């Protein structure tokens, strides 16, 4: 029996893109003070909000509202996906603004998965209400940095608390590359390694409950 409910909305960005957005609500809305906004993996490789449904449900069942959305060009959203994810920053900002205005909330935890992590990371300091950031498999590696390298500085320089979660067998970023990047990060920085997990394995359903636990533990420390 589900302990959460789901509602769908359309959110319009500053440049007129309409984003299909879903709000996962606990049956008992005891924790109204914070919403978790989740940013899905790379649209061009088939990323969509459906990949984050398990995590969003787990967060809602733990008493917090969670929001997922299809970025431009993905799922039922209009617009066209960009190669580098810079246009999608407008999507994250629009959804967070909508959350604040329509869900009467002033605190947001921003969570990005895979390519959604650099996009979310570049949005953190553009949204005053974001109080923390969680990355699930940030692509810091050399090859992926061709596409996403220009996003790195935004999150590494942000003073807001941040948690980086990664599998030790991530094919895009080595543990050493992650550690080297985080040495230069400002503010409170935490990392958590999932032993033996590859990049795409960690995105799978088998790891959803572990991702939820890590997000909630970090959230409770904010």
């Amino acid at each position: 029996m589900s302990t959460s409910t789901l509602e769908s909305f359309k959110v319009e960005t500053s440049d007129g893109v309409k984003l299909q957005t879903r709000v996962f609500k606990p049956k008992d809305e005891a924790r109204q003070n914070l919403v978790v906004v989740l940013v899905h993996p790379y649209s061009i490789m088939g990323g969509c909000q459906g990949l984050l449904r398990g995590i969003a449900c787990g967060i809602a069942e733990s008493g917090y509202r969670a929001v997922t959305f299809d970025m431009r060009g993905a799922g039922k959203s209009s617009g066209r996906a960009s190669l580098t994810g810079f246009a999608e920053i407008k999507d994250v900002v629009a959804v967070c603004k909508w959350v604040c205005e329509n869900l009467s909330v002033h605190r947001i935890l921003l969570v990005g998965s895979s390519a959604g992590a650099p996009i979310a990371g570049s949005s953190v300091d553009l949204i005053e209400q974001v109080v923390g950031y969680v990355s699930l498999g940030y692509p810091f590696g050399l090859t992926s940095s061709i596409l996403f390298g220009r996003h790195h500085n935004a999150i590494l320089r942000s003073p807001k608390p941040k948690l980086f979660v990664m599998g030790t067998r991530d094919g895009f970023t080595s543990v050493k590359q992650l550690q080297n990047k985080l040495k230069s990060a400002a503010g409170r920085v935490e990392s958590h390694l999932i032993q033996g997990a590859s990049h795409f394995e960690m995105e799978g359903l088998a790891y959803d409950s572990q991702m939820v636990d890590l997000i909630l533990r970090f959230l409770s420390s904010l």
Side-chain angles (χ1 to χ4, degrees):
M1 181 177 169
S2 175
T3 56
S4 63
T5 58
L6 175 64
E7 294 180 10
S8 293
F9 302 90
K10 286 283 188 181
V11 173
E12 188 167 348
T13 68
S14 61
D15 57 345
V17 175
K18 291 182 171 60
L19 307 172
Q20 181 69 19
T21 304
R22 294 175 184 150
V23 180
F24 296 76
K25 296 182 174 180
K27 288 280 178 66
D28 176 15
E29 296 219 14
R31 297 171 176 171
Q32 292 282 2
N33 62 329
L34 187 144
V35 170
V36 180
V37 175
L38 299 121
V39 184
H40 68 70
Y42 202 28
S43 301
I44 288 171
M45 289 181 64
C48 62
Q49 64 179 321
L51 297 173
L52 298 171
R53 184 183 179 95
I55 295 175
C57 285
I59 289 167
E61 286 166 3
S62 299
Y64 290 95
R65 287 171 293 178
V67 174
T68 64
F69 62 99
D70 286 317
M71 288 188 278
R72 60 187 62 209
K76 294 182 178 179
S77 292
S78 67
R80 178 181 291 183
S82 71
L83 265 178
T84 59
F86 275 92
E88 283 79 354
I89 295 170
K90 293 188 183 76
D91 302 347
V92 180
V93 171
V95 169
C96 288
K97 181 181 177 185
W98 181 90
V99 164
C100 294
E101 292 174 352
N102 293 273
L103 301 184
S104 301
V105 72
H106 303 292
R107 299 174 78 229
I108 292 171
L109 176 67
L110 204 48
V111 179
S113 174
S114 189
I119 294 166
S122 283
S123 309
V124 163
D125 284 345
L126 301 178
I127 306 155
E128 182 185 350
Q129 294 85 354
V130 169
V131 295
Y133 164 86
V134 177
S135 155
L136 307 177
Y138 196 116
F140 274 128
L142 294 176
T143 304
S144 50
S145 290
I146 295 168
L147 289 173
F148 305 116
R150 288 190 297 132
H151 288 280
H152 295 179
N153 281 342
I155 190 57
L156 293 175
R157 290 175 180 172
S158 173
K160 295 181 180 180
K162 37 200 167 281
L163 167 65
F164 291 82
V165 182
M166 196 185 83
T168 57
R169 292 179 58 245
D170 189 296
F172 294 102
T173 308
S174 69
V175 173
K176 187 174 182 180
Q177 284 171 327
L178 175 70
Q179 291 169 341
N180 285 340
K181 282 289 184 182
L182 298 190
K183 283 177 186 175
S184 65
R188 175 183 152 201
V189 187
E190 297 176 27
S191 62
H192 184 94
L193 297 174
I194 308 293
Q195 293 300 320
S198 70
H199 186 89
F200 294 110
E201 277 178 339
M202 206 178 83
E203 289 179 15
L205 295 175
Y207 286 90
D208 280 354
S209 61
Q210 195 170 352
M211 297 302 110
V212 170
D213 287 344
L214 289 166
I215 291 166
L216 291 174
R217 197 182 311 162
F218 181 72
L219 191 158
S220 68
S221 71
L222 297 176

